[in-house]
Amino acid sequence: MSAASRVFIILLLAYFLSYFFRATNAVISPDLRRDLGLTSAELGLMTSLFYLTFAIAQLPLGALLDRFGPRFVHPALMLLGAIGALIFASAQDFFTLSLGRALLGIGFAAALMGALKAFSLWFPAHRYASVSSLYVALGASGAIAASSPLAWLKEQIGWRTVFEWGALVIVLVALVVALGVRNAPTGMALPRSAQGGNAALIWQSSLFWRMGWLNFMLGGGFLAWQTLWGGDFLFKVRGMGSLEVGSILFTFSLAALLGFLLCGPLADRWGLPRVLLSASMAFTLGPLLLALWPQMPLLGIYIIYALMGFTGAFNILSLAQARLTFPTELTGRAVTAINFMGFMGVFLLQWGIGVVLGLGNYSTALLIWSALIALAIGGYLPLALQANKRSL
């Protein structure tokens, strides 16, 4: 096995855990409502705290990765995640549950960004989009593990025990990362930015904001639906049981895995902006159809969830686009800035949908979400048109 492949596989273990823990609440939400008496707004806020702390951590994380690399930054954060899992498992009230969820978000803040920083040095630039999409595709199997398998497991041992054992697994994987990952190939040093202020170029760039707002709505909405409201919709609107909900979420996650696998090669073939734009437009059909026809036949639900999973996965291309848009010495800052936008999107959409549900219903929330995605697509459209002109 090559050194680059070893780095890829070890980091993948941590990303699998990140995806698993972010997605658990979609399956255990009825248990949390029952055991702790959570309202929809509380459930949405508590679940979204993973993404809020995750997003806030991106701001210093980019500079830390550019300066020190992922080898020790990543596992150090994971230890905080292990503490969060233990707190979550023992929680008897909303505040303690929220604290545990927030620490889990910090703990996995570098699971993707650390890998993208490492890949920028371990793999050639022309393979970056494909390697990144493969990494996310395989890591997304953590969400598959958090669907039907988790629904079965929590029925056997309880959701609290799942998190207790999960904390131990986090610690073990953090140790493997620290011992088995090097920041860069032998003889290669981490690139240093000549001027620390160069990072401001990212936030001042109109290209960044066009990419960032699309990731806010597409990437943020994709995860908000996968990790909470997609399950809650099925529980409350369709009246389904845990195993049936787990089956549909499994379909969503399996389709997402396929999307992650294919988005890189498709972007290489047809152009990244064009492919990302097309996927975003197709994704918007999902919440729109669920809003207008919530009682569609069961097969339609499976198709809509598969569509949203597959096309939502293409949000990862915005990270590859940031990597290719900004200089290598700013890779960490560029991708974490885009990731910050995506995870702030998860936080605000996950919380916001809960607030709307407290005032109205799912159709209203889904129509608002659809309109917001359409606005973000409109902002991104000039990038795709410019790229199309250059390719002619």
Side-chain angles (χ1 to χ4, degrees), residues 6-22 50 54 70-71 73-79 81-82 104-115 119 135-136 138-143 166 169-178 181:
R6 184 181 69 250
V7 169
F8 181 94
I9 291 172
I10 291 175
L11 292 174
L12 181 61
L13 295 175
Y15 193 54
F16 175 93
L17 292 178
S18 175
Y19 237 105
F20 175 83
F21 280 101
R22 75 178 62 169
F50 180 106
F54 190 109
R71 182 178 186 181
V73 173
H74 185 7
L77 292 175
M78 289 182 68
L79 296 181
L104 277 166
I106 297 173
F108 289 110
L112 178 57
M113 296 300 99
F119 296 163
Y135 177 81
V136 175
L138 297 176
S141 60
V169 175
I170 294 172
V171 172
L172 292 176
V173 173
L175 182 62
V176 172
V177 172
V181 172

Side-chain angles (χ1 to χ4, degrees), residues 149-219:
L150 175 60
W152 177 85
L153 185 62
K154 63 106 174 175
E155 294 295 332
Q156 307 305 311
I157 64 175
W159 65 271
R160 295 184 186 275
T161 305
V162 170
F163 277 81
E164 290 169 353
W165 281 100
L168 176 60
V169 175
I170 294 172
V171 172
L172 292 176
V173 173
L175 182 62
V176 172
V177 172
L179 295 177
V181 172
R182 295 201 311 271
N183 287 328
T186 303
M188 178 185 294
L190 285 171
R192 301 296 189 194
S193 175
Q195 301 178 21
N198 283 348
L201 296 176
I202 297 170
W203 295 96
Q204 294 169 0
S205 169
S206 62
L207 297 177
F208 165 77
W209 287 106
R210 292 184 187 277
M211 293 183 286
W213 282 118
L214 182 63
N215 198 39
F216 185 99
M217 287 301 168
L218 178 63

